[in-house]
Amino acid sequence: MSYANPVISELRDRIASLGCSYGKRATYLPFGVSEIDAVLPGGGMGYGCLHEVAGGGGGTVDGAAAALFVAGIVARSHGKVLWCMTRPDLFFPAVAQAGLHPDRVVFCESDREEEALSAMEEGLSFGGLAAVVGELVRLPMNASRRLQLAAEKTGAMGIVLRRWRRQNEASDYGQPTASTTRWRISTLPSERLPVAGVGRARWLAELMRVKAGACAEFEIGAPDAKGRVCLLPTAPGRADQTARWRNLAG
C-alpha cells in the first residue's frame, strides 16, 4: 500500500525498522481487498511477524474455516510452507481448493504439542521457508515471543492456528501474546443460489487485535483456487442474522 504523505510513509518505515531486532525491512502480503488491507499496518499480513487465527462458534474445536483461512493466506506467499500439527486430521483436498498445492507443503506431525512448538520455532529460524503454520492449543507469552523473534530473524511469516480440545478452553484466546494480529473466523450461512447447490462459503472474519491498528470485522467469501478472499455485501436482513452468529462465536 502506498501513502500519499511522504512524511507519514517515512515515519512508518522508521517505526518498522525499530520494531525489528535484526534491522530487516518489513514486507507485507496484502489480501487484495482494500477494506481489509486498509486496517492492517503496511497494507497486509506482515512477513517477519507472528499471527494468530482461531475458529469461532461451532468451529472452535475443529477449526475447519480457520484452517482454510490460513491456507488461503500462505497460498498467496511464494515458497515452501511448513505445517506443524499434533492431530493429523487436516483434509488436504479442501486446503488445495483454497490455493495451497500439496507440493509446496512440508508436514510435521508430533504426538506432543511441545514438539510441534519446537518444530515451528526451528522452521521460522531456518530461513528458507515462506511461512510456518503451527496448530497449538496453548500459546504462552514466552513461547510467542520466541516465535516472533525467530520470524523477525528470517523474515518468514509465522501463523499459529489455535485449536482447542473443548469449547470452554477457547477463553484462553484472550490472553496476551506477542502476535502482531489475532483473527477469529466463524462460519455464516452461505448465499442461496438460483439453482440447486451450495453457494460460496461465507465467513465472519474478526480482526480482534492488531498492533498499531484498530480492530475490525468483515463478512468474506472463502478463498478461491488462488487463495483470494472477497468482501461480500450484507444482504437485507443479514445484519440481525450476523449478530446472532457473532453471539454464538463469542
Side-chain angles (χ1 to χ4, degrees):
M1 176 181 289
S2 60
Y3 298 93
N5 191 325
V7 177
I8 297 297
S9 181
E10 180 184 358
L11 181 59
R12 287 180 182 271
D13 290 342
R14 292 178 62 183
I15 292 174
S17 64
L18 290 173
C20 180
S21 303
Y22 295 85
K24 288 182 177 291
R25 181 182 176 86
T27 55
Y28 302 89
L29 179 65
F31 280 93
V33 179
S34 58
E35 291 85 351
I36 300 178
D37 293 334
V39 301
L40 295 170
M45 297 284 283
Y47 285 102
C49 299
L50 182 67
H51 307 273
E52 282 183 89
V53 181
T60 301
V61 176
D62 61 65
L68 290 179
F69 180 75
V70 171
I73 293 173
V74 298
R76 291 181 284 107
S77 65
H78 299 284
K80 292 289 186 179
V81 175
L82 175 64
W83 197 299
C84 308
M85 62 179 72
T86 56
R87 286 180 279 181
D89 58 356
L90 187 66
F91 187 61
F92 210 84
V95 173
Q97 287 185 342
L100 185 57
H101 196 276
D103 290 346
R104 293 185 53 201
V105 185
V106 178
F107 290 103
C108 176
E109 296 183 16
S110 174
D111 295 332
R112 300 175 62 244
E113 184 161 301
E114 293 79 6
E115 294 176 353
L117 180 62
S118 178
M120 188 178 182
E121 185 175 355
E122 287 292 331
L124 288 171
S125 302
F126 173 64
L129 300 170
V132 177
V133 180
E135 299 182 9
L136 302 174
V137 175
R138 293 173 297 276
L139 185 63
M141 173 59 82
N142 288 343
S144 69
R145 185 58 181 161
R146 291 200 308 270
L147 295 177
Q148 172 64 28
L149 290 174
E152 287 180 2
K153 181 179 180 180
T154 61
M157 181 184 296
I159 302 179
V160 174
L161 178 58
R162 304 292 299 275
R163 293 189 61 188
W164 296 276
R165 297 181 180 88
R166 290 173 292 276
Q167 186 95 12
N168 58 2
E169 293 178 344
S171 60
D172 179 64
Y173 204 42
Q175 298 299 316
T177 66
S179 300
T180 300
T181 66
R182 176 179 288 172
W183 298 82
R184 182 168 63 185
I185 309 300
S186 307
T187 57
L188 296 173
S190 59
E191 292 294 329
R192 291 185 177 181
L193 297 177
V195 295
V198 179
R200 186 175 186 174
R202 190 183 190 105
W203 298 338
L204 175 64
E206 298 172 87
L207 180 57
M208 303 174 65
R209 178 180 181 273
V210 55
K211 289 184 179 178
C215 300
E217 60 182 43
F218 311 92
E219 287 191 27
I220 61 174
D224 61 14
K226 294 186 177 180
R228 300 171 301 192
V229 299
C230 67
L231 197 66
L232 297 178
T234 302
R238 175 72 73 177
D240 293 339
Q241 190 177 34
T242 301
R244 291 195 297 271
W245 280 80
R246 186 184 298 111
N247 292 334
L248 291 174

